[in-house]
Each structure stands twice: as C-alpha cells, then as structure tokens.
C-alpha cells in the first residue's frame, strides 16, 4: 500500500500543475481561492465551487481574511489526486448547460473510472471536505452494489474476510433467516 | 489517466484485499442508511466487524413494506427484539434516526412496542431525525389521537428533521417547549384539532428551514410568521379547508402552493398575502389548482423581482395576467383555460411551457368568445430560449398563422428543444417525433406532417430519452408512435 502511493505520487503532481494552468487560463474573471492539499500542491479554485466544500466554508468562518489574501487554505486530509477528481465532479455539476442526461452519463463514467482504492480514498476525502453532493453520490453507489445481493456476493465483491467460525455463522444465519439470509 | 485505468485492471483481477471494511464506521453507517433493514441485517453476516457496524448502526428504520412478503409475526418480532436489545443498553444508546412506516391496523396492534420504542428514542440525546408514517389513509377518518407518542416527540429536543403522516397532531402540553434545532418539518395526511399547533411550530422552531404541509385537515388559516428567519422552502399542498395564507418569511426562496381540485363553478377564492420582503427573496414560485385572482397574482408577482422559475398550473381565476421579470428563466403555464391575455416580458427566459389543451365541452357555450383571441402576447423576442413545449388548443390548432407566429419568436434561439402537443383526436399517430431538426426553418414542414398527431416532438434528444418521455407520465394514453429521424432516414419506428 505504501509502495503504491510512493510510485503514483509524482504523476498526480504533474496533472495537478496542468490543471492549475488550465484554471488560470479559463477562469480569469471569477474570484478564486487558493487550496493546498496534503501533498503540498496548491490549487486555484473558483470561489463558487470552493464554497460548496463544507471544510472551506468552516475555515473561512474562522479566518475570513483568507478569502482575500494569498494564503492558501490547507486541506490536511486531501491529496491532490482526490482534489482533482472532486473538482472534476463539481465543475461538471456546476456547469449551467449540463442537462440531466449529461450529468447521468458523467456520473456513470466518473464511477467507472475509479478503482476501489480510489473510491475509498475519494469517499474519505469527500467526508473530510464535507462535500455533500459527491459524498451522497458515492455512498449511494456503494449501497447500490450491496442492495438485494446475497452475503457471498458482497463478500467476494469487496474482498471481505469472513472471521466467523462455521458454527457461529450457521447459528447467526439461522437467527437472521427472516432477512433473506440463505443457509450455506 | 491512462495509468490509472491500467491500475484498475490489475486491481479488479486481484481479490485478496478488503476494500471496504477499513472505512471509518461513520461512513459505513452512511452507506447502511441507504439500504433497507433487510439489506442491513444481511451485511451483519459478512464478518464480525460488520456485525459490530450493525450493532452500532444508529438508525432504527422499520418499514413494513420491506416485510411485505414475510408474515406479520416476523415483523412484530423484529420490532420487539429491537426494542428489547435497545433497552438493555439504554444508558449508552445512540440513535440518530428513527423511521417507522406501518399500516394503521398493525400500529394499533403494536402500540405498546412502538411507545416503548419512541420513549427510548426520545431519551437519547442524539436523535435528530424522527419519521413516523401510518400508511392507510382511509383510516384518517378515525383520527388517531396518540397523546403518549407526542409526549415522546416533544421530549426529543435535539430533533433536526420531523416527519409525521397519518396522525392527529397534538399540542405540546407545555407551550414553552422549543425545538431549537428543528430544520425540516413535514406534515402529511394529518389532522390538526387547533390551528395553533401549526403556529406553535413556526414560533418555537427558530432554525426551521423547510416546511411541507400536505393534506392537513382542520387547517383553515395559515400564518407563516414568527421565528421564520431561516425558512427557505415552504410547500403547502391540498389542504382541504384552507382559506387563507399569510407569509412573512424574509428569506423564503421557494414557495409551492397547491390547492385541492375544485370545479370551475365553485366560486371560492383563496386569500394569499405575501409581504414585500418575502416577495423579493423568492426564487421559485409554483401555484397549482389556484383560486387566487389574476389581479392579486399580478400584484404579488410585480414585487417578486428575483423569481427565476414560475409555474402556474390550473389557475382558474386568471383572466388577464402580466408577467414581467428580467430574472425569469423558466415559465410554465398549464391548463389555465380562462386566461385571455398574458403579457409576458421576460427577455432572459430559457425554458417555456404552454399547455392549454381545452377538453371538449369545457365551456357550456362552445362559441365562447375567449377562444377567438390570441391568448399570449409577447413584448420582446426571446433570444435565450433553449427549451420550449407548446400545446395547441383545439380551436387554435386550425390557425396555422398563429403557430407560425410562435415559431418566429424562436428564430434567434439556437440549440433549443421544442415539443408541441396537440389535443386528442382520432388521427393515426399519437406522437410524431422528429429527431435532430436543428433548424427552425423546417418547422412549417413539421406543421403539415404532424397536423394529425396528438403530439409532435422536435428534439435533439436520444431515442432512449425520448422513450423515457413517451412512456413516462405523458405517454399513458398513447397508442401509436411514429418517429422520423433526420439523422438517419432509414430509422422509422412504428409501435
């Protein structure tokens, strides 16, 4: 796990810079906020989007000066990789011309492009940043995977380690048979 | 991005690492909250850790519909077990959400269990959502008084969300009780014995943000004032005896006022008073089955300078109205049959719907003078329009001139969607669909081809979305559908 984060660390940095440049070109007029991620990448983010982040709102309430000054708002538990994804999601959903169908398509693609590790990290970041819409979307997507599935499916899908003894499990399953738990 | 995709490929093929259990408990609970109780119970079998997630899961979500295929015995047993397991850990009980949906007959049978449940729930200092619904509406007639239940509810002072349905709302015994955290209040299919209980909610819930009152029996005069400085959304719907509404809520953004359906002959007139401060903060306004007079509406709307979305659905006493707003982006006029003159001045409109299909025999005298007039007058061109849906009145249908007059309005609008709906008749196709006719110049052709159709749709929608539309609520009465696609001439669907 540690190795994995090491190896990918340089790559998001580059993309972050590209993203950063893009931002500078396209959004000149709108007021921007500077956000700094846990891996020390600064992002200039449109205020309209940044203010949707509960954590940013909270920070500005405590120190209102940060919105005008050049000091970056630190996001301690969010890496640049996650922030890029969050911004991608919110730019799309904030886009006035985006129709319902576009958003649905975008959401599907967005989810498809995530592997489980990323999904988990993104969920943690969304939770920390207090970005309601994305958080709800992600939890709903995971719930959809679990819904109406039997225990074995969910176990293999998420790779959950079964630590019940066979006897314990059989007894517990019987107790909850009414909820549609099948016997093994 | 590409690298990430490759990573994903590897990740999917390996199946050893637990990908979800490491999430914080709070997030797991959020996920469980989106599932039915049966799914949640099933997850507890996954592993010991998930069993502990289930035990600490702070939501009590009992919905009889989930038990439908099971016997009542199981259901009652479950409630019983849950209550028993709760009372064992009474002192360290954490419950955030309590939801119960049951049929009336079962509620009266399980009254004691439910009371025990709500007593425990109200005792916890963590409860923030209380949702209680008795489903069978027909028993409403028996007006279910349940003093103990309300006693428990009014004890739960930490509530943020309160939803009640199918009950008689009781007054708190002590009027000084305050729900100082309550933000969302929904009362549906309820009865109030005294109106003062609703007034009490508005004065004692100082953080209230969203109020929905639907089918409230016994409510005659609604006065929204008091501690409502945070009120953003107010929905009032189908309260059978409501006569007047008065609103003083300086930060209200959305107002929906639906009345019960009344016949046209019934000379009743709803009294609506909105103070100017409230008018200015309004962003969305919807009137449905309204008996408000057109003049009253025009006067109120003239003060609503920030409204972006206006929906007028079946407003019976509208003869002449004026809608002038620079902020207005969405306008829906539906089934306002008596509307003769509408003066619309909304240069920034992006979405417009006009459905005024007149059912045959609506007017006793078929030569009603109103139909000979052109019902809409526009002052300016609508150049921002992206979406337009028109429905042509039977009498207006013959006036192709009138239609082409309409289309001229949209000549400058680029990339809009247009849907026109024709009234019912016995011509061959119910729906004619033109796909991807971008240019409005082709509209005259459309008018000829589709003359016999009940609905004509010109759209850039994909066929899937179109099917959604056709088989959705609009399409209930359709029998035949014809689709002509300009992008692919060979495509011709007939069903």
């Amino acid at each position: 796990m540690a190795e994995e984060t090491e190896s990918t660390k340089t790559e998001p940095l580059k993309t972050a810079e590209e993203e950063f440049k893009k931002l500078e070109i396209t959004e000149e007029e709108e007021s921007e906020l500077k956000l700094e991620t846990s891996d020390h990448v600064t992002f200039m983010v449109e205020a309209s989007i940044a203010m949707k982040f509960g954590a940013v709102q909270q920070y500005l309430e405590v120190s209102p000066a940060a919105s005008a000054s050049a000091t970056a708002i630190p996001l301690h538990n969010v890496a640049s990789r996650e922030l890029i994804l969050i911004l991608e999601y919110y730019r799309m959903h904030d886009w006035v011309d985006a129709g319902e169908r576009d958003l649905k398509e975008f959401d599907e693609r967005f989810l498809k492009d995530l592997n489980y590790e990323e999904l988990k990290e993104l969920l943690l970041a969304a939770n920390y940043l207090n970005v309601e819409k994305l958080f709800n979307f992600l939890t709903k997507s995971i719930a959809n995977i679990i819904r109406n599935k039997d225990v074995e499916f969910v176990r293999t899908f998420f790779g959950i380690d079964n630590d019940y003894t066979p006897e314990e499990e059989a007894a517990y399953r019987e107790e909850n048979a009414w909820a549609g738990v099948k016997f093994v | 991005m590409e690298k990430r995709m490759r990573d994903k490929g590897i990740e999917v093929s390996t199946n050893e690492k637990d990908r979800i259990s490491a999430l914080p408990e709070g997030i797991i609970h959020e996920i469980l909250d989106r599932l039915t109780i049966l799914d949640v119970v099933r997850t507890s079998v996954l592993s010991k850790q998930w069993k502990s997630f289930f035990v600490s899961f702070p939501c009590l979500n009992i919905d009889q519909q989930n038990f439908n295929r099971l016997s009542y015995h199981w259901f009652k047993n479950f409630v019983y077990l849950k209550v028993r397991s709760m009372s064992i850990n009474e002192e360290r009980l954490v419950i955030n959400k309590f939801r119960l949906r049951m049929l009336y007959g079962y509620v009266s049978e399980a009254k004691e269990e439910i009371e025990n449940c709500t007593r425990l729930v109200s005792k916890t200092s963590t409860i923030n959502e209380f949702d209680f619904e008795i489903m069978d509406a027909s028993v409403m007639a028996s007006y279910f008084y349940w003093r103990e239940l309300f006693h428990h509810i009014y004890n739960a002072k930490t509530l943020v969300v309160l939803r009640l349905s199918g009950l008689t709302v009781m007054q708190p015994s002590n009027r000084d009780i305050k729900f100082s955290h309550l933000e969302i209040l929904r009362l549906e299919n309820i009865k109030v014995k005294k109106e003062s209980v609703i007034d009490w909610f508005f004065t004692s819930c100082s953080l209230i943000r969203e109020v929905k009152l639907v089918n409230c029996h016994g409510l005659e005069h609604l006065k929204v004032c008091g501690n409502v400085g945070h009120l953003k959304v107010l929905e009032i719907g189908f309260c059978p005896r409501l006569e007047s509404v008065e609103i003083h809520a300086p930060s209200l953004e959305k107002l929906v006022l639906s009345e019960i359906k009344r016949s046209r002959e019934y000379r009743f007139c709803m009294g609506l008073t909105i103070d100017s401060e409230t008018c200015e903060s309004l962003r969305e306004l919807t009137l449905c089955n309204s008996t408000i007079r057109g003049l009253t509406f025009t006067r109120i709307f003239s003060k609503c300078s920030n409204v972006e979305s206006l929906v007028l659905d079946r407003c019976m006493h509208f003869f002449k109205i004026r809608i002038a707003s620079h902020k207005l982006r969405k306008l829906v006029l539906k089934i306002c049959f008596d509307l003769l003159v509408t003066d619309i001045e909304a240069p920034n409109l992006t979405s417009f719907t006009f459905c005024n299909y007149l059912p045959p025999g609506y007017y006793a005298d078929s030569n009603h003078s109103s139909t000979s007039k052109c019902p809409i007058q526009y002052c300016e061109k609508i150049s921002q329009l992206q979406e337009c849906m028109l429905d042509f009145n039977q009498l207006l249908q013959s006036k192709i001139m009138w239609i082409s007059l309409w289309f001229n309005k949209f000549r400058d609008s680029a990339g809009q969607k247009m849907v026109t709906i024709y009234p019912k008749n016995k011509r061959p196709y119910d729906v004619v669909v033109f796909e991807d006719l971008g240019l409005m110049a082709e509209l005259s052709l459309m008018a000829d081809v589709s003359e016999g159709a009940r609905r004509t749709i010109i759209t850039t929608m994909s066929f899937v979305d179109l099917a959604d539309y056709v088989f959705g609520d609009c399409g209930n009465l359709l029998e035949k559908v014809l689709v002509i696609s300009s992008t692919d001439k060979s495509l011709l669907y007939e069903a």
Side-chain angles (χ1 to χ4, degrees):
Chain A
M1 173 124 180
E3 278 172 30
E4 197 196 343
T5 40
E6 264 318 298
S7 63
T8 47
K9 205 163 185 175
T10 47
E11 204 232 332
L13 267 171
K14 247 186 267 163
T15 36
E17 271 165 17
E18 280 163 26
E19 195 74 19
F20 181 72
K21 272 179 205 154
K22 241 194 280 172
L23 256 173
E24 275 195 322
I25 301 161
T26 52
E27 304 287 339
E28 271 177 284
E29 295 136 46
E30 211 185 339
S31 71
E32 290 178 344
L33 291 172
K34 212 186 228 180
L35 306 181
E36 191 182 338
T37 54
S38 58
D39 46 355
H40 306 292
V41 184
T42 37
F43 287 81
M44 296 301 286
V45 180
E46 303 91 304
S48 60
I49 288 176
M51 288 308 282
K52 289 212 172 77
F53 301 174
V56 173
Q57 270 177 36
Q58 227 168 16
Y59 185 89
L60 291 179
E61 266 167 39
V62 180
S63 49
S67 62
S69 71
T71 51
I73 300 168
L75 307 172
H76 299 296
N77 290 343
V78 182
S80 51
R81 185 164 60 157
E82 276 75 49
L83 189 62
I84 290 169
L85 286 171
I86 293 172
L87 289 177
E88 185 189 330
Y89 183 83
Y90 270 84
R91 293 232 171 84
M92 185 65 190
H93 280 259
D94 207 43
W95 187 36
V96 189
D97 288 342
E100 222 160 276
R101 185 167 55 110
D102 301 329
L103 289 182
K104 214 172 138 195
E105 257 171 32
F106 171 84
D107 282 357
E108 267 165 33
R109 221 179 34 239
F110 187 80
L111 201 69
K112 230 173 140 188
D113 284 352
L114 294 173
N115 64 43
Y116 299 106
E117 194 58 37
E118 283 168 334
L119 182 65
K120 207 166 84 185
E121 292 297 319
L122 194 60
L123 200 52
L124 287 170
N127 185 42
Y128 167 79
L129 274 180
N130 193 2
V131 282
E132 211 176 313
K133 203 168 180 180
L134 180 62
F135 186 74
N136 287 346
F137 168 63
L138 294 173
T139 48
K140 209 167 97 190
S141 309
I142 295 178
N144 284 343
I145 298 170
I146 300 173
R147 182 168 303 128
N148 294 330
K149 305 293 194 318
D150 56 31
V151 174
E152 278 63 43
F153 177 88
V154 181
R155 230 179 234 160
T156 30
F157 193 93
F158 292 111
I160 294 164
D161 207 12
N162 175 18
D163 53 359
Y164 285 112
T165 64
E167 294 79 32
E168 276 175 334
E169 190 174 339
Y172 192 58
R173 272 171 185 262
E174 199 176 340
E175 194 184 310
N176 292 304
W178 58 271
V181 179
K182 281 189 223 126
F183 298 101
V184 263
Chain B
M1 201 55 152
E2 240 127 71
K3 188 162 185 288
R4 203 189 299 151
M5 292 292 279
R6 258 183 281 124
D7 282 346
K8 185 189 164 192
I10 300 160
E11 186 89 29
V12 171
S13 61
T14 60
N15 219 349
E16 285 145 23
K17 208 165 53 185
D18 191 336
R19 303 189 187 95
I20 184 169
S21 308
L23 284 169
E25 200 171 40
I27 298 183
I28 298 275
H29 286 159
E30 286 284 341
I31 296 168
L32 294 182
D33 191 29
R34 296 172 178 281
L35 296 165
T36 68
I37 188 74
L38 301 189
D39 285 316
V40 174
V41 169
R42 276 203 294 271
T43 63
S44 73
V45 187
L46 290 171
S47 72
K48 283 182 179 165
Q49 197 184 2
W50 280 81
K51 193 180 175 184
S52 78
F53 288 146
F54 172 60
V55 171
S56 62
F57 183 47
C59 304
L60 199 58
N61 188 349
I62 306 165
D63 187 339
Q64 196 168 14
Q65 280 184 337
N66 299 336
F67 292 82
N68 263 351
R69 265 174 263 134
L70 307 164
S71 68
Y72 176 61
H73 167 74
W74 278 116
F75 176 71
K76 200 166 168 178
N77 225 12
F78 172 75
V79 177
Y80 176 72
L81 281 171
K82 195 81 199 177
V83 173
R84 205 186 52 183
S85 69
M86 277 162 60
S87 43
I88 293 167
N89 317 310
E90 200 169 324
E91 61 283 354
R92 43 190 191 89
L93 187 66
V94 175
I95 292 192
N96 294 337
K97 291 177 187 171
F98 175 78
R99 274 185 221 141
L100 188 129
R101 290 186 73 205
M102 264 177 124
L103 285 166
Y104 176 77
Y106 293 140
V107 171
S108 49
E109 265 183 65
K111 213 172 161 197
E112 207 176 311
E113 281 91 347
I114 293 169
E115 269 170 33
N116 282 334
C117 218
T118 51
R119 185 180 54 80
L120 289 168
V121 163
S122 67
K123 264 190 182 170
T124 62
S125 55
T126 50
I127 181 80
N128 60 36
E129 195 178 318
F130 193 98
D131 190 338
F132 196 103
E133 183 180 346
I134 300 177
M135 285 187 288
D136 198 346
S138 63
V139 232
M140 257 304 292
S142 68
Y143 299 132
F144 194 18
Y145 290 94
W146 200 344
R147 213 165 286 281
E148 292 81 6
L149 178 77
F150 280 93
H151 180 70
H152 297 151
I153 292 174
Y154 291 127
N155 267 342
K157 299 202 180 59
T158 48
L159 281 185
V160 178
V161 180
L162 177 62
R163 287 193 210 104
L164 298 173
S165 180
L167 288 156
T168 300
V169 179
M170 312 283 282
Q171 295 245 23
S173 47
N174 178 1
R175 304 260 311 167
D176 292 334
I177 288 177
K178 285 203 173 7
F179 274 139
S180 46
H181 300 282
L182 197 70
E183 289 181 23
I184 297 173
L185 174 70
R186 272 182 206 169
L187 303 175
E188 284 178 53
N189 305 324
I190 53 122
K191 183 182 189 278
V192 287
K193 220 174 139 200
K194 286 183 194 148
E195 278 167 7
S196 52
V197 66
I198 304 286
D199 295 340
W200 174 81
F201 273 111
F202 285 121
T203 46
S204 57
C205 309
S206 50
L207 285 181
I208 198 106
R209 192 159 48 87
E210 211 183 300
V211 175
K212 195 170 176 183
L213 303 169
V214 176
N215 196 10
C216 295
H217 293 256
L219 188 66
E220 289 177 11
H221 303 280
L222 179 68
K223 217 172 157 185
V224 183
C225 57
N227 281 325
V228 286
H230 290 88
L231 192 66
K232 294 250 186 317
V233 180
L234 177 63
E235 277 182 49
I236 306 160
F238 315 107
C239 301
R241 301 195 52 195
L242 195 66
E243 286 170 16
S244 75
V245 178
E246 200 180 325
I247 303 168
H248 305 277
S251 55
L252 195 68
E253 286 176 7
K254 182 178 175 185
L255 174 63
V256 178
L257 180 58
S258 309
E259 292 174 43
I260 52 163
K261 225 171 171 174
R262 290 187 174 90
S263 86
R264 212 174 131 257
E265 286 75 36
Y266 191 65
R267 290 283 159 207
F268 170 80
C269 189
M270 164 79 73
L272 176 66
T273 322
I274 308 177
D275 69 348
S276 50
E277 212 178 336
T278 311
C279 282
E280 253 166 59
S281 67
L282 269 183
R283 295 279 183 283
E284 277 176 64
L285 179 62
T286 302
L287 297 175
C288 183
N289 291 337
S290 184
T291 53
I292 294 164
R293 296 209 178 280
L295 265 172
T296 317
F297 168 77
T298 304
R299 204 185 56 234
I300 290 174
F301 193 74
S302 68
K303 289 187 276 179
C304 301
S305 52
N306 290 313
V307 169
E308 283 166 16
S309 158
L310 176 65
V311 179
L312 301 173
D313 186 355
R314 206 172 178 273
C315 298
M316 284 177 290
H317 297 333
F318 282 17
F319 299 102
K320 183 182 173 184
I321 57 168
R322 180 176 157 76
I323 297 164
S325 169
H326 282 261
K327 288 268 175 70
L328 201 65
R329 294 174 72 84
K330 184 187 166 195
L331 176 61
V332 177
L333 278 169
K334 262 160 99 177
I335 336 182
C336 304
F337 298 134
D338 292 311
L339 204 58
L340 297 183
V341 184
T342 317
D343 190 354
I344 303 171
E345 196 185 332
N348 295 315
L349 209 62
T350 54
S351 163
F352 180 58
T353 307
F354 179 76
C355 300
N356 234 7
Y357 163 60
L358 188 70
Y362 180 76
Y363 289 110
D365 52 331
S366 55
N367 299 323
H368 198 283
S369 59
S370 73
T371 43
S372 61
K373 288 177 189 165
C374 174
I376 302 263
Q377 297 177 340
Y378 254 101
C379 293
E380 285 180 56
K381 267 188 186 166
I382 340 160
S383 55
Q384 310 275 316
L385 209 66
Q386 288 168 354
E387 196 178 44
C388 181
M389 186 159 151
L390 302 175
D391 145 340
F392 295 105
N393 202 303
Q394 205 155 26
L395 285 145
L396 289 166
Q397 193 190 1
S398 55
K399 296 187 172 179
I400 299 297
M401 271 308 290
W402 189 85
I403 297 171
S404 62
L405 207 114
W406 256 108
F407 296 146
N408 280 335
K409 301 280 186 199
F410 310 121
R411 191 149 282 163
D412 296 334
S413 311
Q416 75 270 43
K417 287 177 190 169
M418 176 173 285
V419 180
T420 68
I421 298 184
Y422 281 78
K424 271 184 222 167
N425 53 28
K426 285 179 183 165
R427 305 274 176 93
Y429 294 109
D430 290 315
V431 174
V432 177
V433 178
F434 295 86
E435 204 183 330
D436 229 340
L437 294 183
L439 292 168
M440 282 298 132
E442 295 184 54
L443 275 167
S444 53
L445 165 94
M446 188 274 316
D448 289 335
V449 175
S450 62
E451 205 176 338
R454 204 184 287 176
R455 287 165 198 199
T456 305
I457 300 167
I458 306 171
T459 178
T460 50
M461 285 192 266
S462 73
F463 188 71
V464 179
D465 281 13
L466 208 59
D468 245 14
Y469 171 79
V470 170
F471 298 114
D473 45 352
C474 309
N476 292 338
L477 300 161
L478 304 176
E479 287 158 24
K480 283 181 174 180
V481 179
L482 169 73
V483 179
I484 302 167
S485 172
S486 65
T487 45
D488 184 355
K489 297 275 187 228
S490 64
L491 270 179
L492 187 78
Y493 302 90
E494 222 172 305

